[in-house]
Amino acid sequence: MNVRSSFAALGVLLAAASLQPFASVAVAPARAEPAAANLDDVVFSLGSTTFRLKRIEVLGGPASNAELAKLFDPAAPLPLAERLAGLSAASVKIPELAIETKIGERTQSFVYRDVVLEGVEHGAARAAKAQGASFRLSDPNEGEARGAYGEIDAKNFDLALAARMAQGAPPAQGAAKAQLYEALSVQGVHFESARAELDAQSVTADRAFGRPPAQAPAKPAESSPQAERRLEQAELLRWLDAIRLEGVGVSEARLSLRLGDSPVDVKAARVALPQLDGARIDSLRADNLTYARDDRTIAVSAAEFKAIDLEALTDRERRGDPSSPAFGALVLSKIAGTSAERPEEKDFTLERLEIDNGAQAASGDLTLDVAFDRLRAQAARVPAVAALGYSDIDASGRFSALWRREARELAVSGLSLDVADMGAFKLTALFAGFGPDLASSDSATSAAALRSVRLKTFDMNFVNRGLVERALAAQAERAGVSVDEARQSDMQNASLLLPALGGNAPPLRVIGSEAAKFLADPRNFTLVGRSADGVGLHDLELVSTPAAFFKKMEVTAYANR
């Protein structure tokens, strides 16, 4: 599935469909009709693209076939865009327009039916239409793909600008993007490949702006899949840099992915893209989104990506680099999960989930903030929680961290979990040796990087709001004793047994003593650790006793402070 190629084709759909053909090099005149100029069998090439028009009919424009042929004469002294800027006609009709493009080993073929331009004045058409289109994409690595568009309609289409874009003349430094068309409507979109199928009821855009793209990238000297991907990405990015789309909307979209024996089905009632400018999308929102796999379905009332970086998203070599996130934020609202066995029951609900990558400094530092609100589920789905007498779980949480790239440090400023009628847990920590190789797709590289990570500081705090009391009650019931007897037993184990099991290391005696105080009056408990050099997996493998560990990490505890 060549998503990037199909996306680019949609972005410059009318430019490719209606204007690139006017660089004709081979024209066969047809019989003249009253008040009309016609040409048959127009075939020409522009770069790596070949165009074929079975017929073109112009009404109320050039007075003869010969005059119309001059418009397409490759030997004409004026550039094509200037010739088109002088064109005025009541209508231009192209019954069939075929376009074939080759980029490396990839081939794209589009066939548009019944293309009509109406009210053309000085190279701008008041209306541009096509009854439909079909396309086929061939990629030796990804296989064949095909699809179709339904009726296509746009207003105020600038033919001359589209010709300048199609000719590919490099833009002037700082050249602004001018309006290419407005009110685009595509009724019905279908795409399918061996691995995916995409359908949409309609695609619309309020306006499109453009300028000639930068110079095409040179063909790489090496021949490899990696080189082909880099060339394809460079081609996509230069076209993205040349366009701006506003008010893009997709209705009733469905994407089916064939992933072995477990297909995935994603649907959205509406997808909105307020603006695409270059390789950046400020916002991409989907309403009434559903994700189905196996017998599970997740429904999302609204999902929004913010600050999408298409350059990072399409560059496979940068995907494993945490300093190059593909998006700035993701916000999901009102999420619910169900199963095929109990479709009337919700396995869980979640009020809101937000992931924010934050702003990056020039140093490459990265902030990450993840928060979820009101995750609710039946306690029966977690037997250990249900055993404490809870009927429901209601939790909220947050994770906030700063990754300092040059220092190779990860500062966790807050990992928190707050569960109703149970309590609240919070952790802060500092890790050293935290490098980008941790995100490597190579398992050996990531495993080696993990062994370099060292924990330097941590601060854990638990605030009790009923969990300890319920745990003591359940323990007492199982043992057939009173709650006070269960509490006294646990206090004794904490103050005496825990240090003894750890060789009576002084830090364990402090931890045990403070734990006993907490059990006697369970309000809050804090555990703090500090290490000058940090403790990593390698250190833990060499530690044989708790006392040896506490030589590397100073640990203490506090109760009810």
Side-chain angles (χ1 to χ4, degrees):
M1 171 180 180
N2 195 326
V3 176
R4 297 190 289 275
S5 298
S6 59
F7 173 78
L10 178 61
V12 293
L13 177 66
L14 292 181
S18 304
L19 295 176
Q20 288 185 350
F22 295 116
S24 177
V25 297
V27 177
R31 296 179 181 177
E33 296 180 6
N38 311 307
L39 298 175
D40 287 332
D41 300 324
V42 179
V43 179
F44 61 93
S45 294
L46 183 61
S48 60
T49 302
T50 300
F51 303 83
R52 293 180 174 83
L53 290 72
K54 285 190 174 181
R55 184 177 177 84
I56 180 170
E57 303 174 356
V58 180
L59 301 177
S64 66
N65 295 352
E67 185 177 343
L68 177 60
K70 292 179 182 179
L71 185 65
F72 308 134
D73 186 357
L78 292 178
L80 174 62
E82 293 187 29
R83 283 175 273 156
L84 284 175
L87 175 65
S88 293
S91 69
V92 177
K93 297 181 180 180
I94 306 172
E96 182 177 293
L97 168 62
I99 306 174
E100 183 178 279
T101 302
K102 289 188 177 182
I103 302 177
E105 298 297 322
R106 296 170 175 82
T107 301
Q108 303 177 92
S109 301
F110 290 80
V111 178
Y112 296 87
R113 303 185 310 275
D114 297 325
V115 178
V116 178
L117 307 176
E118 296 180 341
V120 180
E121 294 186 9
H122 304 295
R126 184 181 69 254
K129 301 178 180 180
Q131 287 302 307
S134 60
F135 61 88
R136 184 178 296 274
L137 311 175
S138 177
D139 187 315
N141 298 315
E142 300 182 7
E144 295 280 339
R146 62 182 180 178
Y149 302 121
E151 184 176 340
I152 304 167
D153 190 0
K155 308 299 181 185
N156 298 323
F157 186 34
D158 191 332
L159 310 178
L161 173 58
R164 290 199 300 273
M165 294 175 67
Q167 286 177 322
Q173 185 70 25
K177 298 171 184 176
Q179 181 170 295
L180 178 62
Y181 60 79
E182 60 184 5
L184 170 68
S185 172
V186 181
Q187 298 302 313
V189 175
H190 175 74
F191 177 94
E192 63 179 88
S193 69
R195 293 182 294 176
E197 188 169 328
L198 173 66
D199 289 282
Q201 186 180 81
S202 66
V203 177
T204 59
D206 292 342
R207 284 170 297 279
F209 298 81
R211 66 183 173 207
Q215 186 174 354
K219 187 175 181 179
E222 60 176 312
S223 179
S224 67
Q226 293 81 4
E228 289 290 334
R229 284 195 296 267
R230 287 194 293 269
L231 178 63
E232 184 184 24
Q233 188 211 17
E235 182 69 13
L236 170 64
L237 292 177
R238 83 181 185 99
W239 273 103
L240 285 174
D241 178 68
I243 63 173
R244 182 171 84 247
L245 302 177
E246 295 181 354
V248 177
V250 182
S251 65
E252 300 299 336
R254 176 179 179 178
L255 173 64
S256 298
L257 300 174
R258 305 178 182 95
L259 303 177
D261 296 330
S262 183
V264 172
D265 194 65
V266 181
K267 297 180 183 178
R270 175 75 178 171
V271 178
L273 191 158
Q275 179 171 284
L276 164 66
D277 194 357
R280 180 181 175 87
I281 298 175
D282 290 333
S283 171
L284 178 63
R285 177 187 172 101
D287 293 320
N288 296 328
L289 182 70
T290 62
Y291 172 94
R293 185 169 188 176
D294 297 328
D295 62 345
R296 302 287 179 179
T297 299
I298 297 176
V300 182
S301 176
E304 182 178 12
F305 283 95
K306 299 179 181 179
I308 300 174
D309 183 350
L310 294 177
E311 184 172 357
L313 185 65
T314 58
D315 190 341
R316 301 187 184 187
E317 296 177 0
R318 291 174 53 189
R319 288 181 191 173
D321 188 347
S323 67
S324 300
F327 63 92
L330 169 63
V331 180
L332 306 179
S333 303
K334 298 190 181 303
I335 308 164
T338 59
S339 65
E341 295 178 358
R342 298 180 300 274
E344 70 285 352
E345 288 185 23
K346 290 183 173 62
D347 291 342
F348 72 89
T349 61
L350 180 60
E351 192 67 22
R352 182 181 176 89
L353 171 64
E354 183 168 356
I355 302 173
D356 190 345
N357 282 316
Q360 297 179 66
S363 62
D365 293 352
L366 176 67
T367 61
L368 177 64
D369 192 281
V370 181
F372 68 90
D373 298 325
R374 304 297 303 274
L375 171 62
R376 286 170 282 190
Q378 293 182 356
R381 301 189 181 280
V382 187
V385 175
L388 299 180
Y390 289 99
S391 58
D392 298 294
I393 299 173
D394 188 342
S396 298
R398 186 164 190 166
F399 173 79
S400 299
L402 168 64
W403 179 51
R404 301 185 182 95
R405 184 184 183 94
E406 293 299 323
R408 298 172 67 85
E409 288 184 343
L410 178 69
V412 180
S413 57
L415 170 61
S416 63
L417 180 65
D418 193 328
V419 187
D421 300 324
M422 292 188 189
F425 170 83
K426 184 175 181 179
L427 166 70
T428 61
L430 176 64
F431 295 89
F434 204 94
D437 284 346
L438 281 164
S440 173
S441 58
D442 180 72
S443 58
T445 301
S446 60
L450 181 60
R451 294 181 63 82
S452 299
V453 176
R454 304 183 309 281
L455 175 62
K456 299 191 70 173
T457 67
F458 69 86
D459 191 327
M460 294 188 295
N461 176 261
F462 173 71
V463 177
N464 177 53
R465 299 198 186 107
L467 178 62
V468 175
E469 289 81 1
R470 285 182 181 254
L472 287 171
Q475 177 185 337
E477 184 178 355
R478 289 193 303 269
V481 298
S482 68
V483 172
D484 285 340
E485 288 173 321
R487 187 192 307 272
Q488 290 297 324
S489 175
D490 287 350
M491 291 172 60
Q492 186 176 26
N493 290 337
S495 60
L496 299 177
L497 184 58
L498 177 63
L501 291 175
N504 282 310
L508 277 179
R509 292 201 296 270
V510 174
I511 294 172
S513 175
E514 294 298 314
K517 292 178 184 179
F518 171 72
L519 289 169
D521 181 16
R523 286 180 287 157
N524 62 78
F525 184 80
T526 301
L527 192 66
V528 178
R530 300 287 184 269
S531 175
D533 298 324
V535 176
L537 292 176
H538 178 70
D539 299 302
L540 295 178
E541 291 172 353
L542 299 177
V543 168
S544 58
T545 65
F549 171 78
F550 289 122
K551 288 182 179 179
K552 295 180 175 292
M553 176 73 72
E554 297 178 4
V555 182
T556 190
Y558 309 97
N560 302 328
R561 288 192 180 183

